[in-house]
């Protein structure tokens, strides 16, 4: 019976590890995209202010990430 549980754990380990790796990679991609969009919105707002243009549409409450 001991071999059964060891074999069960060894058979599930690759799936769990690949799932965790996928989650970490996707989380880092989504977080970096969010930070990049926020930085771009900040740069765009400062450039619009420098040029005397009105704020971009929807920029009153900050950037929206609902897309």
């Amino acid at each position: 019976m001991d071999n059964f549980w060891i074999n069960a754990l060894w058979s599930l380990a690759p799936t769990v590890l690949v799932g965790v790796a996928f989650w970490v990679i996707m989380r880092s991609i989504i977080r970096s995209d969010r930070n990049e969009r926020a930085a771009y919105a900040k740069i765009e707002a400062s450039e619009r202010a420098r040029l005397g243009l009105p704020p971009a549409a929807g920029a009153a409450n900050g950037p929206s990430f609902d897309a």
Side-chain angles (χ1 to χ4, degrees), residues 15-36:
T15 304
V16 170
L17 291 176
V18 168
V20 168
F22 177 77
W23 179 77
V24 168
I25 291 168
M26 291 304 294
R27 180 176 178 254
S28 66
I29 290 171
I30 290 171
R31 290 180 102 189
S32 64
D33 181 59
R34 180 177 59 215
N35 292 337
E36 184 71 24

Side-chain angles (χ1 to χ4, degrees), residues 30-52:
I30 290 171
R31 290 180 102 189
S32 64
D33 181 59
R34 180 177 59 215
N35 292 337
E36 184 71 24
R37 287 175 188 255
Y40 181 78
K42 191 176 189 181
I43 292 169
E44 183 181 8
S46 66
E47 287 298 312
R48 290 181 73 85
R50 184 179 65 86
L51 295 172

